[in-house]
Amino acid sequence: MTSDNPFEAKANIIPPARSSSPSIKFSQKSAEDTAAELQTNLVTGLCNSQDILNRRSLHGVNELSNDEEESLFLKFLSNFYGDPLILLLIGSAVISFWMGNVDDAISITLAITIVVTVGFVQEYRSEKSLEALNKLVPAEAKLTRNGSTSTVLASTLVPGDLVHFIQGDRIPADIRLTEAVYLSIDESNLTGENRPVKKTVDSITFSGNDVPPVTTRNSIAFMGTLVRDGHGSGIVVATGAKTEFGAVFEMMSEIEKPKTPLQQAMDKLGKELSIFSFAVIGVICLIGIFQGRSWLDMFQISVSLAVAAIPEGLPIIVTVTLALGVLRMARHKAIVRRLPSVETLGSVNVICSDKTGTLTQNHMTVTKIWSADFKGSFNSPFLVVEKLDDNKLHHQLTKNMHMILETGNIVNNARYSNENEKYVGNPSDIALVECLPHFGLEDIRGTKERLYELPFSSNRKYMAVCVHSGNMDKSETFAKGASEKIIGLCTKYYDENSEIKPLTDEVKKNIAEKSHLLANDGLRVLGFARGNKKYVNEKDEHNEPSELVFCGLIGMKDPPRPNVARSIALLMKGGVHVIMITGDSPTTAVNIAKQIGMPIVGDSSVMTGDQLESLSEHALAEAIHNVSVFARTTPEHKVTIVKALQRRGDIVAMTGDGVNDAPALKLADIGIAMGKHGTDVAKEAADMVLTDDDFSTILNAIEEGKGIFYNIQNFITFQLSTSIAALTLIALATFFGLPNPLNAMQILWINILMDGPPAQSLGVEPVDHEVMNKPPRKRNDKILTEQLIRRVLQSAAMIILGTLYIFIKEMTDNEVTARDTTMTFTCFVMYDMFNALSCRHYSKSIFEIGLNNPMFNFAVAGSLIGQFCAIYIPFFQAIFQTEALYLSDIIHLLFLTSTVFVADEIRKYLLRRKNVFSGVGYGV
């Protein structure tokens, strides 16, 4: 996808100079000539549907495709020679066949096939889950076709398309610019140059036969680069592999993805268990040979035992569990882009959240208007828009208010989308355009032509445009933004008679008071001004408007999201500190914070950006403990806040949506970007994307992250107890000179159950909501806790004792018969199933949580059916060397093997009683 950046590892690679590429060709042509050659229109874009289809069939999909994947059959075959243990089994089968034991050879070969198939299916499932994740956040582009602008998948673009982009967007293809307003683009992932490149619509000229390098083609916006400032439009000249990005992509070899910390921990655990297992197996083999047993039998038993005892399936199951958990999060509108983030989610103890769009609905509505010529209504100095119908609003509209609304209309970048049938763009811009019909006014932007634009930025805190109605000599400047910034640009104002008067200190004080009153109501306050001179100059970004005439103020409301208050209450109950970060005034921020239930206790709970800058990092780390609201902040302040929190040892989740939020998102332990209104660069820097921009979704994601960690502990408990039991069982039998209670095929079948569906189903156990009552776990908490090891040893001991009891009880004549091994084999498998049932939860009774995991139910049912096939169907009887059992035998085994389940239920009951008296929460 075009949103992916495969070049991070080789950021300094400059694409090879190609003598002829679309970007070279069209960078030297004018925009008009480019449009003519590609048979498109600079205003309406492509208009012919059949022509678009023809272009797509000719140029292909706008994606950078990886090399052809290895065939599934070859991948499957590689599993036979890629695992040393499997090679040992194959050697065992060959030796058996060579010595005339054809039945054994066939049985072992069949077992190898089953083991490899189970592992292959699990790996394939994991890969497909990850592929699905990569497709959840497709790259998008703003496209104009046939005069209509809409948002489409970037993969659908064709040469000749007219596209638009703003600050924070990723360029979806190689584009010949037709409009560039203060446009600067970060091309570092293409050229290695960190400084953003200023772009123009002017064509470039080169003498001689030299190929113009990428860094000099300023009229081209390259696929995969990021818009750092301004906005622009252009015509697509190359897609997919024909782009300059595509040229580098062809050079790149596939970079192996690093394993997650949890997978590394599991690998380490697997190696330690393997070393221990090999040592025990080696001793078992030597003792057996010294006791005079057949070295071939001991070799086969040892190899089979190695396959069963060594948990080679652990990393696979961890990956599958994480991937399936991430897919479950996606259904709850939280898309986790990196698997390691799933582990970190369970540790988050501080969430720093944007106010707008995350804690609130991000649909601004004009609520109150103030101008000097308004007499007041509802005992208020403001026109209260939300309390009046359209007819009354029309009659109460004053001259100054008309100028306020007209200014808000002109200095506005909201676009109407036919596809969505609504305005799209900045929420404040949308609110200003949407309120016009209520006053009987129309959108007049079509009657004005823009000369220049000074775009809004977090540092500037205002936006200005210079427009004319056909006569450039009569150009006007319009500005909107933070009231204090707009006042700073003004020298005059419209008084109560709509006349222009000097802006005195007394008038400034009055405006500031009105702005403060609006902010106290929790409203976003914007000031508006205009002038009849041309002040904004595109060629000089430091030339700002001045000597404007102040029009008035508008207060807008963005109400809190419905479930935010409940989510914050649950997070605080679970030990998570929630901090609101906003660019609004402290009064506005505190008003919203109180509405959503955030604790505001005195002045220490609120800190402004100016106060933040006055503190050292160490002092801020000390002072930040009680802060719940950061107001009047810039995106740069977020980095300072994250560093201060991490200095205290906190695990921080940070939300953001803009380009300047990217450093903080990347620095945070969990960066959370907004899916609807977030920029591409924010999404790429983030670990998680909220597709609904809703804070409540973070709660679900943290709950899922905590649940996944405990699920991993549960299936490790199951696997280790089974592995230890199988290993110890054979070791004890060998040590005491008893015949082996399980043959090679039976051990391999147990291995399939241990690494197969029953184990994996424990990884997808539904999340227990009580995990949110448990404090966030520390990042370095061990997987194998002391309690978990005790639980493993308890279950393993019961399985060993019960299986040995059945084996010795059945072996009355010191000769191992088919019935003896069948009873022992079935006993062990049934112990396994009851053990899996008890491992579904650490502290809750199965009777309390119920049978609410369909995958577990099917896995256990399938395993039991497989076991009955092994002892009742003649074909499998020959393979597993079993015979049919009586119903009384099955009932006897059922009662005996259920003891492991009963014992664990007793342990859970005692643990719950202990926790009730000690006040300890849920968990391992």
Side-chain angles (χ1 to χ4, degrees), residues 88 142 178 275 297 399 405 430 458 494 556 601 613 733-734 793 878:
L88 275 174
K142 298 178 185 71
T178 59
I275 292 170
D297 286 345
K399 285 185 179 181
L405 293 170
I430 294 171
S458 54
Y494 289 102
M556 302 178 182
V601 184
E613 290 176 354
T734 305
L793 294 178

Side-chain angles (χ1 to χ4, degrees), residues 716-833:
I716 288 175
T717 302
F718 169 68
Q719 283 200 311
L720 289 185
S721 55
T722 302
S723 180
I724 290 171
L727 196 62
T728 307
L729 192 65
I730 303 298
L732 289 175
T734 305
F735 184 77
F736 289 111
L738 299 172
N740 283 322
L742 301 170
N743 61 42
M745 279 303 299
Q746 292 167 354
I747 292 172
L748 290 171
W749 171 246
I750 290 168
N751 179 51
I752 291 169
L753 296 184
M754 185 183 74
D755 279 343
Q760 190 171 313
S761 65
L762 291 172
V764 294
E765 190 72 27
V767 175
D768 183 355
H769 297 302
E770 284 192 16
V771 296
M772 291 306 294
N773 296 331
K774 185 174 173 63
R777 63 180 179 82
K778 295 178 182 177
R779 198 199 308 261
N780 58 353
D781 277 358
K782 292 181 179 179
I783 298 171
L784 290 182
T785 61
E786 188 179 330
Q787 296 95 323
L788 187 148
I789 293 171
R790 283 205 298 266
R791 187 183 181 194
V792 166
L793 294 178
Q794 173 187 305
S795 299
M798 295 201 67
I799 295 172
I800 293 163
L801 292 174
T803 307
L804 276 177
Y805 162 73
I806 288 294
F807 180 57
I808 295 170
K809 176 176 175 293
E810 292 295 326
M811 193 180 61
T812 53
D813 53 2
N814 209 32
E815 289 291 328
V816 179
T817 64
R819 174 180 167 79
D820 300 342
T821 57
T822 303
M823 284 289 287
T824 308
F825 176 38
T826 306
C827 177
F828 195 98
V829 169
M830 292 178 74
Y831 261 126
D832 236 16
M833 295 302 100

Side-chain angles (χ1 to χ4, degrees), residues 132-419:
L133 294 179
N134 292 332
K135 294 176 182 176
L136 286 171
V137 190
E140 295 180 336
K142 298 178 185 71
L143 168 68
T144 295
R145 280 182 183 164
N146 202 21
S148 175
T149 302
S150 60
T151 300
V152 301
L153 293 179
S155 58
T156 63
L157 296 180
V158 296
D161 270 330
L162 177 62
V163 296
H164 315 277
F165 33 87
I166 59 175
Q167 185 187 43
D169 284 351
R170 185 170 287 283
I171 302 297
D174 278 6
I175 293 168
R176 173 59 172 90
L177 296 172
T178 59
E179 180 189 14
V181 179
Y182 284 99
L183 183 63
S184 62
I185 295 180
D186 179 0
E187 297 179 348
S188 60
N189 58 0
L190 189 65
T191 65
E193 296 291 335
N194 289 321
R195 180 176 293 180
V197 180
K198 295 197 76 171
K199 295 292 183 177
T200 69
V201 298
D202 302 326
S203 58
I204 61 172
T205 55
F206 279 85
S207 58
N209 296 321
D210 293 338
V211 176
V214 167
T215 51
T216 60
R217 300 175 210 165
N218 293 335
S219 57
I220 299 290
F222 297 103
M223 176 186 189
T225 57
L226 295 169
V227 179
R228 286 296 187 192
D229 201 7
H231 61 85
S233 301
I235 296 171
V236 174
V237 295
T239 58
K242 294 180 182 178
T243 62
E244 296 301 331
F245 221 73
V248 182
F249 193 86
E250 290 174 1
M251 297 169 53
M252 297 290 287
S253 58
E254 187 176 346
I255 299 171
E256 187 176 350
K257 293 180 181 178
K259 290 188 175 181
T260 70
L262 184 60
Q263 284 177 305
Q264 290 172 349
M266 299 307 295
D267 285 346
K268 184 180 178 183
L269 175 63
K271 286 177 183 176
E272 291 172 352
L273 291 174
S274 298
I275 292 170
F276 174 75
S277 300
F278 270 124
V280 175
I281 290 163
V283 171
I284 291 172
C285 186
L286 289 174
I287 291 174
I289 292 171
F290 286 140
Q291 288 176 343
R293 304 189 190 191
S294 164
W295 70 269
L296 178 62
D297 286 345
M298 292 311 301
F299 175 74
Q300 289 181 351
I301 288 290
S302 297
V303 172
S304 301
L305 199 56
V307 173
I310 298 168
E312 69 278 354
L314 274 181
I316 295 173
I317 296 179
V318 168
T319 303
V320 171
T321 302
L322 292 175
L324 292 178
V326 168
L327 287 173
R328 283 201 303 274
M329 289 186 196
R331 288 196 290 272
H332 289 101
K333 311 295 185 183
I335 298 171
V336 178
R337 301 182 66 249
R338 300 179 178 92
L339 282 186
S341 308
V342 181
E343 305 159 35
T344 315
L345 276 167
S347 303
V348 169
N349 67 328
V350 177
I351 298 176
C352 298
S353 176
D354 272 334
K355 177 181 76 68
T356 305
T358 309
L359 298 175
T360 60
Q361 296 180 18
N362 200 25
H363 187 83
M364 302 295 292
T365 55
V366 173
T367 306
K368 295 181 179 181
I369 304 177
W370 176 84
S371 64
D373 64 344
F374 183 69
K375 305 305 180 185
S377 64
F378 297 103
N379 297 319
S380 167
F382 308 106
L383 173 61
V384 186
V385 178
E386 59 187 346
K387 291 189 177 181
L388 298 172
D389 58 31
D390 290 1
N391 185 48
K392 290 181 180 177
L393 286 173
H394 179 72
H395 290 297
Q396 295 220 23
L397 187 65
T398 66
K399 285 185 179 181
N400 289 4
M401 286 185 179
H402 187 282
M403 284 187 282
I404 293 172
L405 293 170
E406 185 178 72
T407 301
N409 180 203
I410 294 171
V411 61
N412 197 305
N413 285 328
R415 292 172 177 262
Y416 187 78
S417 169
N418 290 318
E419 178 189 21

Side-chain angles (χ1 to χ4, degrees), residues 56-110:
R56 187 168 297 131
S57 63
L58 178 64
H59 297 281
V61 179
N62 182 32
E63 290 180 351
L64 299 175
S65 303
N66 287 306
D67 295 335
E68 288 187 11
E69 292 187 1
E70 185 182 2
S71 71
L72 285 178
F73 180 70
L74 291 177
K75 276 188 176 182
F76 180 67
L77 284 182
S78 68
N79 285 313
F80 283 94
Y81 58 79
D83 188 340
L85 295 175
I86 298 299
L87 288 175
L88 275 174
L89 274 177
I90 293 173
S92 178
V94 171
I95 293 171
S96 297
F97 185 79
W98 178 60
M99 296 190 68
N101 298 331
V102 179
D103 289 346
D104 286 347
I106 293 173
S107 299
I108 294 170
T109 303
L110 184 61

Side-chain angles (χ1 to χ4, degrees), residues 403-697:
M403 284 187 282
I404 293 172
L405 293 170
E406 185 178 72
T407 301
N409 180 203
I410 294 171
V411 61
N412 197 305
N413 285 328
R415 292 172 177 262
Y416 187 78
S417 169
N418 290 318
E419 178 189 21
N420 300 317
E421 296 184 344
K422 64 179 182 180
Y423 283 97
V424 294
N426 181 280
S428 298
D429 284 353
I430 294 171
L432 291 169
V433 177
E434 286 182 341
C435 80
L436 293 176
H438 299 297
F439 290 91
L441 303 177
E442 294 182 353
D443 188 346
I444 61 171
R445 286 178 292 175
T447 66
K448 306 285 185 181
E449 184 175 341
R450 281 194 185 183
L451 285 176
Y452 315 117
E453 175 186 335
L454 194 62
F456 179 88
S457 73
S458 54
N459 291 322
R460 196 179 293 123
K461 288 191 169 69
Y462 73 89
M463 171 188 176
V465 297
C466 186
V467 301
H468 66 84
S469 300
N471 185 349
M472 291 182 62
D473 294 332
K474 294 184 178 180
S475 299
E476 295 178 281
T477 298
F478 297 84
K480 78 166 190 294
S483 57
E484 63 270 23
K485 294 291 183 180
I486 295 297
I487 291 172
L489 303 176
C490 299
T491 56
K492 299 177 182 178
Y493 79 109
Y494 289 102
D495 70 357
E496 59 274 9
N497 299 313
S498 300
E499 295 178 358
I500 299 176
K501 294 290 179 67
L503 187 62
T504 62
D505 290 340
E506 186 179 349
V507 175
K508 287 181 181 180
K509 183 179 178 182
N510 183 37
I511 294 171
E513 287 176 356
K514 297 298 187 291
S515 178
H516 186 68
L517 284 173
L518 290 170
N520 277 342
D521 288 338
L523 304 181
R524 176 181 292 178
V525 185
L526 291 180
F528 298 83
R530 57 200 293 168
N532 57 3
K533 294 181 181 179
K534 189 197 305 184
Y535 291 105
V536 185
N537 188 335
E538 185 183 25
K539 303 299 181 183
D540 182 3
E541 61 186 54
H542 300 292
N543 186 8
E544 298 184 340
S546 60
E547 298 182 20
L548 298 181
V549 182
F550 187 81
C551 301
L553 302 170
I554 286 183
M556 302 178 182
K557 183 160 79 172
D558 182 13
R561 289 181 177 271
N563 297 319
V564 163
R566 173 182 169 274
S567 299
I568 288 177
L570 289 172
L571 285 166
M572 289 193 299
K573 186 178 179 182
V576 179
H577 180 199
V578 181
I579 296 174
M580 177 199 293
I581 302 177
T582 177
D584 287 337
S585 67
T587 48
T588 303
V590 168
N591 188 287
I592 293 292
K594 289 179 177 178
Q595 288 182 47
I596 58 179
M598 293 181 68
I600 305 294
V601 184
D603 295 337
S604 62
S605 296
V606 184
M607 187 178 288
T608 64
D610 291 338
Q611 290 174 311
L612 191 150
E613 290 176 354
S614 67
L615 296 174
S616 66
E617 194 172 302
H618 178 75
L620 179 59
E622 293 292 326
I624 208 170
H625 178 69
N626 295 318
V627 178
S628 295
V629 174
F630 284 96
R632 283 286 185 243
T633 58
T634 64
E636 288 77 12
H637 287 143
K638 287 188 174 184
V639 173
T640 307
I641 294 168
V642 172
K643 285 181 178 178
L645 289 168
Q646 290 177 333
R647 186 185 181 95
R648 286 163 29 92
D650 293 321
I651 309 299
V652 185
M654 169 68 75
T655 72
D657 56 6
V659 175
N660 292 331
D661 292 333
L665 293 175
K666 200 165 187 178
L667 180 65
D669 298 281
I670 294 286
I672 304 172
M674 302 300 110
K676 282 185 177 179
H677 299 97
T679 56
D680 285 349
V681 66
K683 293 175 189 176
E684 288 204 5
D687 303 288
M688 187 165 77
V689 178
L690 304 183
T691 59
D692 57 359
D693 293 8
D694 190 345
F695 182 86
S696 304
T697 306

Side-chain angles (χ1 to χ4, degrees), residues 912-920:
R912 289 196 300 275
R913 284 196 61 186
K914 178 183 176 184
N915 287 347
V916 166
F917 290 118
S918 63
V920 178

Side-chain angles (χ1 to χ4, degrees), residues 836-848:
L837 183 64
S838 63
C839 285
R840 285 184 57 205
H841 202 285
Y842 176 76
S843 59
K844 278 191 176 181
S845 168
I846 299 304
F847 301 105
E848 185 179 351

